Amino acid sequence: MKRLLTAAVLLGLLTACGKEGTPPPKGPQPSALPSYQVRSGDAVTGSATLDAARGRGKLVVGAKEDQPYLGAKDPASGVYSGFDIEIAKMVAADLGFRPDQIDFRTIASANRETALQNGQVDYYVGTYTINDNRKKLVGFAGPYFIAGQSLLVRRDEEDIKGPEDLSGKRVCSAAGSTPYQRIVKDYPKARPVAFDTYSACVDNLIGVQVDAVTTDNTILLGYAAKAPDELKLVGPLFSKEPYGIGVPRSDNALRSAVNDALQRHEQNGDWKRAYDATLGLSGVPAPEPPPIDRY
Ligand code: GLU
């Protein structure tokens, strides 16, 4: 029962049940979110992806749906919210699409490259680390944020204080993710467990089927903030995860336009306003956005 309840809290199912006098649940507050001025739609030329999106009148954006403060889908309304969702919206506005013209589609970590290659999504915004292997398959705009790999354990855990303590421990991460690959490669004595999503890992952590969850600190901070009595982050950050916006590899016009959009919204303050209203709620003040890499 405890496990079920916690899962419900993580999914935000209890947000409507707050009694008078109880503090409001933490989470993106819609009123504080910026809105982005929609620019004229045809400014960007030469992008096959955008031409197709204009033809259908909708932009299809890949995202996560179970990462609090980053990409989270309200189970009742189906509405997506979080920092990644705001990044997707500010970019869409510069490409000529209003928020109601964006169809968000949940794509798990392991399926991002194929989704972009098959044209299932026009672009992807969901804690997606830029690296050379992935660049062989997709294009990346950004980075728009730098995260780092960390560990989430149960509140009462005393043995695991950092990645060096993972020998013999069951360590859960998402299939196809860079943190999963790093555990397999750099911590061969750990016992890696892969699920499609980090929320499945967190359920298994609370249910004592695994000993730790590993992924980006941003993602883990969100789960910890939702269940502070049961979970905690431990240890140093042990990687750099620069977040990019995934685009189809051959669409250089789109990649360049997304970079322009990121740069503009970083400079005009939208980026910081969006951060403060979403990821900032997990307790880390806004850093400076990293320089964009126009490779
Ligand atoms: N940023 C890491 C990655 O892209 C972990 C987060 C995720 O799986 O989305 O693999």
Side-chain angles (χ1 to χ4, degrees):
M1 184 61 189
K2 189 176 169 210
R3 192 177 151 210
L4 273 179
L5 262 182
T6 310
V9 172
L10 286 174
L11 288 169
L13 290 175
L14 299 181
T15 47
C17 313
K19 289 194 212 83
E20 225 182 305
T22 53
K26 280 192 196 165
Q29 306 293 312
S31 58
L33 291 173
S35 58
Y36 314 104
Q37 201 202 334
V38 179
R39 307 191 118 195
S40 122
D42 38 20
V44 182
T45 55
S47 162
T49 313
L50 277 183
D51 289 345
R54 287 180 192 125
R56 77 174 95 86
K58 288 263 184 191
L59 201 57
V60 184
V61 176
K64 294 291 183 69
E65 67 170 37
D66 65 337
Q67 299 183 175
Y69 306 124
L70 287 156
K73 184 177 168 181
D74 183 287
S77 65
V79 173
Y80 287 74
S81 65
F83 185 57
D84 282 334
I85 303 304
E86 291 307 305
I87 296 288
K89 285 181 185 168
M90 59 182 83
V91 166
D94 282 27
L95 301 176
F97 292 86
R98 300 185 307 270
D100 64 290
Q101 293 175 301
I102 308 174
D103 270 350
F104 284 103
R105 215 161 276 173
T106 300
I107 306 281
S109 295
N111 302 331
R112 291 181 283 210
E113 291 79 27
T114 37
L116 285 164
Q117 288 174 316
N118 299 343
Q120 271 167 273
V121 299
D122 296 322
Y123 58 83
Y124 185 95
V125 193
T127 60
Y128 196 9
T129 293
I130 302 170
N131 66 30
D132 288 344
N133 274 336
R134 290 173 177 171
K135 273 187 185 169
K136 291 176 194 154
L137 305 170
V138 302
F140 284 105
Y144 62 90
F145 190 83
I146 313 267
Q149 186 165 354
S150 186
L151 294 170
L152 185 73
V153 296
R154 286 179 296 276
R155 189 95 233 166
D156 58 7
E157 172 67 53
E158 285 173 3
D159 295 347
I160 304 174
K161 299 192 178 68
E164 311 304 330
D165 303 322
L166 293 176
S167 293
K169 303 289 184 188
R170 297 160 299 179
V171 186
C172 192
S173 195
S177 70
T178 49
Y180 181 81
Q181 290 159 5
R182 191 167 292 104
I183 290 297
V184 170
K185 188 168 159 284
D186 295 348
Y187 300 91
K189 291 195 180 128
R191 293 162 56 193
V193 177
F195 285 106
D196 286 345
T197 63
Y198 298 109
S199 53
C201 285
V202 172
D203 281 348
N204 278 270
L205 179 64
I206 292 166
V208 201
Q209 278 100 359
V210 301
D211 305 305
V213 178
T214 190
T215 185
D216 305 338
N217 62 328
T218 44
I219 300 173
L220 299 178
L221 281 167
Y223 295 125
K226 298 276 175 182
D229 297 337
E230 295 177 76
L231 304 171
K232 63 180 180 188
L233 271 77
V234 289
L237 303 185
F238 53 104
S239 76
K240 270 205 161 51
E241 308 290 332
Y243 288 171
I245 297 182
V247 298
R249 188 170 188 266
S250 59
D251 200 333
N252 290 324
L254 178 61
R255 184 159 59 87
S256 166
V258 173
N259 277 329
D260 292 345
L262 282 175
Q263 195 153 6
R264 212 174 65 80
H265 289 284
E266 288 173 3
Q267 279 164 2
N268 75 5
D270 285 341
W271 184 96
K272 181 169 187 309
R273 278 189 286 276
Y275 179 94
D276 288 343
T278 56
L279 198 47
L281 299 175
S282 65
V284 181
E288 282 299 310
I292 287 168
D293 176 17
R294 292 174 186 265
Y295 63 88

